[in-house]
Structure formats: structure tokens, C-alpha cells
Amino acid sequence: MPGLVALLFLVIPLIALIVQTPWEAFPKIISSPEALEALRLSLVTSLVATAFAALFGIPMAWLLAREILPFTGLLRALVIVPLLLPPVVSGVALLEALGRRGLVGAFLYDTLGITFPFTTVGVVIATTFVAMPFLVITMEGGFRSLHQRYEDAAATLGAGSRRVFLRITMPMVAPAAIAGLVLCWARALGEFGATITFAGNFPGVTQTMPLAVYTALESDRSVAIALSMVLLVVSVGVLVALRGKYLQTRAS
Amino acid sequence: MTKMLHGFVAIAFVVGLGAFFPSASGAAPKPSGTLTVSAAASLTDVFPVIADAFEKRYPDTEIKLNFAGSSTLMNQVIAGAPVDVIATASKSTIQIGIDSELVARPLRFTKNFLTIAVPLGNPANISKISDLQRDGLLLGVCDTAVPCGSAAVELFTKNTLDVTAVTRELDVRSVLAKVISGDLDAGIVYVTDVKSAENRVEFVQIPFRDNVVATYHISMVADTREQQLAQRFVNFVRFSTTSQGIMRAFGFAKPW
């Protein structure tokens, strides 16, 4: 019974969203320039954030899994913190670090004239900060479950460490990598709190889909619901596609 | 600390002005009950003080306050939130409620003006409103969906300014926060907002003739169960010397 309650609890809001969607006005709402701009921005920033997370996060996951650095336990805890932190707090922390008068941001502004708030780069920074831990945690699990002897064998056969990582290690942890990348991307796509706090809210520059939904809620509820529907469809669509292609084969 | 200050200001007003307001005649029943009052974000500092003063005047009453952007508050009422009184920062937001017969007779109770908030030291050297047109200036405003945003647009139109903001925040306090942190060079906020952040932010005054006025409206929500008390609170906010005095102290202007 409690299981059914949980099921209803999770499913009913989604059904309500579908029921309340203004289907007649739907094509017009989602093809408006504002909506398309927000969708484009969301796709671009979430994909770039996922790419950055992969580029830097996967090597870090490997460092954690192989316990190469001292105090690995502590480091792992620090990496997980942004995952548990309320996103708005992450936004405040980012402002304190990379804002124009922030710890590092003041130096960047004074020497190079670079600022991140109110820019699309700022959105990528905020979403990467919030989403990367999902990839790191998943990948670390993948690396840990991998026997080191395969890597050792390749190394004894003369492969360099980079070659071992790319040709032996990565293909073997591919399922974990895909699961991690999807989780990370989905989290990046849905990012709201850190983005509006650190990067602000401006159409075409920093107003991603979740921010557009929240802004529309202030003026036109039906627009907000239609935009929410788009996000729901995108999320479910990607999960279904990946499930058919990868996750099932792993289970079999 | 601010809370203590609020309490102190409230007590000072009640003690100081109470003499002019003899309590209701003995025949009438003593007002009692609990009211939920939804108030615009820009009233965040002043309404707790007014509510305290009301509760001191009528000790058997309790005021619960709910703050958010005016349109969010109106949306909550439309969605059926159990609210007795709503106070918004513009007439147009509350008008939505009248049209759908959810709100009875909104009445003006105070006014507020816009000002240019700048970080301490005014790093971008803003001295007049036309400086906001400067290229590369990091200017923050509210989104047009909330009253402070439509007021800002009105301000730019009135002064035929060609300005580009870098962010459209969803409530006025977020604009202020980003000015205080120094991430914005300037932000269009209410006079009362910079007053609430004295010592943490500077401001550049907008001359009266160039300025835009925000008129705050208050109304009982139509299906309140506490009609009499709600009406009493509305009257208290609008007419009592106590409430109007508190609002002056916080930088709000006379309603008429």
C-alpha cells in the first residue's frame, strides 16, 4: 500500500500538468520567439555544462576511485556537497567566489575585465557546479567496480596511461558513463536556483526554460504550463530513448 | 536586530499616538480572530511593524503575513489560498482580482517612488537618470510581470531613455541584493528599498517630475470568513495615524 501511495504521489502532479496544458494554444506558445530562445539557451547551456562536467569530472572521478590523492574520503565528501546544497545557496556561493567582488571574481575583473554574472557563461558555470557531482558520483562507482588488472595488463603490453584510460578503462565503464551523463544533463537542464541567483534572468542571455517558466507564472499561467510541458516531454523522451538503447542491455 | 528595531518603532508609535485613538466604545464586542494578510515584497519591512501595532491595539487578534511579488500573491488568491487581506504594489495587479470578483473594492493606502540604487562608492559614477543609457553599464530591473518592472519601463518611457538592462529579476529585493553585492552597477528599485538597506547601498535620486509613482492598494478578499476584522485591518492600515506614521518612517509617501 505505501508503495502505491508513493506512486500516486509522484504521478498525479504530472497528470495534472498534462490535463492543464492549454493544448489549443500550445503550438503558438511554444513557437513564440521567447519560448524558442529559452529552449535553445537551455539546450546549449545544459549540453556545454555536461561536456565540461565530462572533461573535468570524469578524470576527477577516476582520481577518487583509485584513491590517488591523500584524504580521498574528505575530498569525496567535498565533491558531493554541491549535490546536497540548495541550488540557491550554490548561487550565493558562486557570487561570493566569482561575482565581480568575489574571492576570485574580483581578481579576474581587475586584471582581465572578465565578469560572469548576467552572461551565458555564467549560466554554464552555475549549471556545471550543480550538475557535475551527479556525473562524478556515478562514474566513481563505475571505476570502482572495474578490476584494475585489465588496466595493468594493457600497461604491461606497453600502452601509455592515456591510451589505457581511453581504450581500456573508458569502454568498460561506458554504462556508468552514459547513466552519469544523462543524470548530469537532466540536472543541468532543470537548473533554476543557482542560475537565477548567480547569472540573473534575461531573455536570450540567461533566461533558460526553468527561468522562463517561473517568469511566465508571474504573468500568464497557461504559458508557464505549456513551457513546463515541453521540459517534461524532453526529459521523458531522453530517458525513454536511453533506456531502450543502453540501460536495458546492461540489465540483460 | 531589525526585528527588535521594528518592535521598538511599533511600541513608540502605539505609546505616542495611542492617546489620540481611544479604544472602541464598551458596547461593541472586542475584535478577535486571526487574519492572513498577503503583502507585496516591498512591504516586507514595514508590514510586520504595522501588524504588531494592530495586535497591540486589539490584543485578541493575530496577523499572519505572507510576502511575495504582487502578481504571485494575486495568483495565490486566484488559486484559492486562504487569504483575508491582500496588499499589492500596483493597481493593475489587484485589478485582476476585481475582474474575477475575488477581491472587494481595492483602495489606495500609500505611495512609493523609484530610485537608482548603486553599490557603495558608486563605482560607475551614476549621477543622473540619463547615465543609465551608457554602453556596457550593468543595470538591473524587475521583470515587467511585477509592478517594480512595469514602473521601471514607465520611467524609461517617460524620460525617453534608451536603456538595456542585463537582468530582469522577479522581485525588487533581488535587484537590490545584486546591487549590494556589487555585481550590478545600478538597479531600479523603490525609495523604501534603499532606505531598508542604509549603509549597504547608495542611491541616486530621481527628480519628482521625472519619477514614476507606485500606488499601493489594499483590499479584503471577497470570501474571507473574517469580514469585520479584515475590514478593520484595512481601515487601520489606510487611516490610522499609527499605520501612516510607521509608513512615513519607512520612507513611504502619503497616499493622496
Side-chain angles (χ1 to χ4, degrees):
Chain A
M1 260 321 273
L4 284 179
V5 173
L7 188 72
L8 288 175
F9 176 67
L10 293 176
V11 170
I12 286 175
L14 301 182
I15 293 172
L17 196 61
I18 296 169
V19 171
Q20 294 295 329
T21 299
W23 291 110
E24 275 166 44
F26 189 75
K28 200 172 155 229
I29 293 172
I30 61 157
S31 61
S32 72
E34 296 84 23
L36 289 176
E37 208 154 42
L39 188 59
R40 180 193 62 85
L41 193 66
S42 263
L43 289 175
V44 170
T45 53
S46 62
L47 286 172
V48 174
T50 307
F52 274 118
L55 199 60
F56 297 99
I58 293 178
M60 182 168 72
W62 189 79
L63 289 180
L64 290 177
R66 290 285 174 266
E67 299 188 9
I68 287 165
L69 302 171
F71 310 112
T72 293
L74 179 69
L75 291 178
R76 186 184 300 117
L78 286 175
V79 168
I80 300 173
V81 167
L83 186 142
L84 303 173
L85 219 51
V88 61
V89 176
S90 300
V92 173
L94 283 171
L95 269 183
E96 292 304 322
L98 297 171
R100 197 157 57 157
R101 292 189 183 170
L103 214 53
V104 181
F107 171 76
L108 291 175
Y109 178 64
D110 294 339
T111 54
L112 305 167
I114 299 175
T115 58
F116 299 117
F118 318 117
T119 65
T120 306
V121 176
V123 178
V124 172
I125 290 175
T127 47
T128 308
F129 184 82
V130 171
M132 186 153 71
F134 285 83
L135 179 61
V136 173
I137 293 302
T138 320
M139 285 303 289
E140 199 211 336
F143 286 133
R144 272 182 187 278
S145 62
L146 188 72
H147 277 297
Q148 208 171 335
R149 61 168 185 262
Y150 299 111
E151 292 168 347
D152 294 342
T156 52
L157 293 171
S161 62
R162 176 185 293 260
R163 192 174 155 87
V164 171
F165 185 76
L166 290 178
R167 302 300 291 273
I168 305 293
T169 315
M170 280 314 288
M172 292 185 76
V173 294
I178 286 156
L181 286 169
V182 171
L183 267 178
C184 174
W185 175 77
R187 183 66 191 82
L189 189 71
E191 217 306 301
F192 173 79
T195 307
I196 199 165
T197 309
F198 178 64
N201 181 36
F202 198 86
V205 184
T206 55
Q207 191 180 81
T208 54
M209 283 294 276
L211 272 64
V213 169
Y214 199 79
T215 306
L217 208 51
E218 296 277 341
S219 50
D220 192 342
R221 201 179 188 82
S222 62
V223 172
I225 294 172
L227 295 179
S228 303
M229 196 61 213
V230 174
L231 281 182
L232 182 67
V233 168
V234 171
S235 313
V236 171
V238 168
L239 279 182
V240 168
L242 285 174
R243 199 170 179 76
K245 207 162 181 182
Y246 297 98
L247 302 185
Q248 213 126 55
T249 53
R250 191 177 55 159
S252 62
Chain B
M1 185 60 212
T2 28
K3 200 152 193 169
M4 256 173 70
L5 191 71
H6 287 170
F8 185 75
V9 174
I11 290 165
F13 273 104
V14 172
V15 172
L17 300 163
F20 296 98
F21 280 85
S23 53
S25 62
K30 259 175 98 184
S32 64
T34 303
L35 285 183
T36 303
V37 177
S38 284
S42 45
L43 298 168
T44 306
D45 296 316
V46 69
F47 255 46
V49 184
I50 292 177
D52 277 355
F54 185 82
E55 287 168 352
K56 290 216 173 68
R57 174 82 49 83
Y58 306 109
D60 293 337
T61 65
E62 192 192 342
I63 306 289
K64 288 183 181 166
L65 294 169
N66 166 38
F67 296 104
S70 294
S71 22
T72 303
L73 297 176
M74 204 61 240
N75 278 334
Q76 290 169 353
V77 169
I78 291 169
V83 174
D84 302 300
V85 173
I86 179 166
T88 61
S90 76
K91 192 171 183 187
S92 57
T93 3
I94 214 164
Q95 187 69 40
I96 303 163
I98 309 169
D99 296 344
S100 39
E101 293 180 347
L102 289 164
V103 163
R105 228 160 41 101
L107 296 159
R108 178 189 287 203
F109 69 95
T110 193
K111 283 191 300 194
N112 207 346
F113 293 93
L114 293 177
T115 192
I116 306 165
V118 296
L120 292 179
N122 192 359
N125 275 318
I126 309 282
S127 63
K128 53 190 181 306
I129 185 169
S130 57
D131 290 345
L132 298 178
Q133 302 179 97
R134 205 185 298 152
D135 268 351
L137 184 86
L138 299 181
L139 171 71
V141 294
C142 290
D143 191 82
T144 48
V146 283
C148 55
S150 41
V153 170
E154 206 183 322
L155 176 79
F156 302 147
T157 316
K158 187 175 179 180
N159 295 279
T160 56
L161 297 179
D162 179 23
V163 297
T164 325
V166 294
T167 186
R168 295 181 191 165
E169 300 289 324
L170 290 165
D171 66 85
V172 67
R173 292 300 166 110
S174 304
V175 177
L176 186 69
K178 283 169 185 172
V179 173
I180 292 173
S181 74
D183 287 294
L184 286 173
D185 293 324
I188 305 294
V189 300
Y190 294 118
V191 169
T192 49
D193 295 311
V194 294
K195 203 166 165 78
S196 77
E198 257 167 345
N199 307 325
R200 289 182 294 148
V201 71
E202 291 175 16
F203 67 98
V204 178
Q205 206 162 1
I206 303 171
F208 182 76
R209 62 174 189 287
D210 302 334
N211 213 325
V212 166
V213 59
T215 56
Y216 286 64
H217 284 70
I218 190 166
S219 176
M220 197 169 79
V221 173
D223 58 0
T224 172
R225 287 186 188 169
E226 293 280 357
Q227 285 231 353
Q228 278 190 334
L229 192 61
Q231 197 53 55
R232 194 180 281 272
F233 183 76
V234 169
N235 290 342
F236 180 82
V237 170
R238 295 185 64 218
F239 300 122
S240 74
T241 329
T242 309
S243 150
Q244 288 295 330
I246 292 168
M247 281 191 280
R248 277 326 85 69
F250 279 86
F252 286 91
K254 289 198 178 99
W256 298 283

